Amino acid sequence: MGKPGEPSDEEALWRFSLAFHALPEVGEAMIALQDRRGLDVNLMLFALWLGISGRGALGSDLLVAAEATTGTLRSEIIEPLRRLRRKLRHHPDGDVQQLREGVKALELAGEKAAQARLARLGVRAPTDASIEDRLAAAHDNLALYLGPEGVVDGPDAAAILRALDAFARCRDRIG
């Protein structure tokens, strides 16, 4: 928990995720990694947030705990909702499109619940680390999550990291 008046870790992670994912190329790159490599956008965002917020290294133990914490929610709720939403994307019926918007809202609520679980994993409070140290930690965290398959050297990861560098330098403080 932060200082009085600061957002909780849950709120800080969610705010970061919404702002960062909305940047040009970021959402598309993360979804590409998710769809092609079976990675989890929430875990990517968590890894980046830990580093950029000054909370530090992800570490393999925390990564295993994060995957376990969100695994059932992801496989039993978020992914089925995502498949249904995508299936309905081009349906011509306006009523079906309204239903699709409801499915989308449920999927987003599932994503927020997953992130709340991640934020509650007992990560340490943010430090006063320099922007360079926080960026280095975020880069290392993403590399750990993406794994040794060379994904971190690919164009999607590069787009994410370029955006993170610009994002971090435009923020006074990232909680």
Side-chain angles (χ1 to χ4, degrees):
M1 193 75 177
K3 297 174 186 170
E6 289 184 359
S8 66
D9 286 348
E10 291 175 29
E11 187 62 25
L13 173 55
W14 187 244
R15 286 181 187 178
F16 165 78
S17 296
L18 292 176
F20 186 67
H21 193 274
L23 293 176
E25 298 185 19
V26 171
E28 184 178 310
M30 288 186 160
I31 290 169
L33 287 168
Q34 174 181 268
D35 290 350
R36 285 196 307 264
R37 301 285 186 157
L39 297 170
D40 184 345
V41 169
N42 287 312
L43 291 175
M44 284 184 257
L45 290 165
F46 178 64
L48 293 168
W49 173 74
L50 281 175
I52 202 64
S53 67
R55 287 170 175 83
L58 178 60
S60 56
D61 290 344
L62 182 54
L63 177 56
V64 168
E67 289 172 331
T69 297
T70 60
T72 301
L73 188 58
R74 177 184 179 199
S75 65
E76 294 182 8
I77 308 231
I78 297 168
E79 288 175 347
L81 288 168
R82 181 180 305 125
R83 282 191 298 274
L84 177 58
R85 175 183 53 82
R86 287 177 174 179
K87 183 178 180 179
L88 299 175
R89 178 181 300 152
H90 300 294
H91 198 286
D93 188 314
D95 290 337
V96 172
Q97 288 307 309
Q98 281 187 298
L99 290 171
R100 181 178 180 271
E101 289 302 312
V103 171
K104 184 178 178 180
L106 288 171
E107 181 186 357
L108 188 61
E111 302 276 6
K112 188 172 185 179
Q115 287 201 6
R117 291 178 179 192
L118 291 169
R120 290 192 300 257
L121 284 175
V123 298
R124 67 185 174 126
T127 64
D128 290 330
S130 71
I131 188 68
E132 290 79 16
D133 289 344
R134 290 185 284 143
L135 280 167
H139 284 233
D140 290 347
N141 291 350
L142 184 63
L144 175 67
Y145 178 61
L146 295 181
E149 296 84 31
V151 176
V152 76
D153 296 327
D156 295 318
I160 292 166
L161 294 174
R162 274 193 313 274
L164 184 70
D165 292 351
F167 181 82
R169 295 184 193 288
C170 292
R171 304 286 174 178
D172 292 274
R173 182 172 183 284
I174 300 170

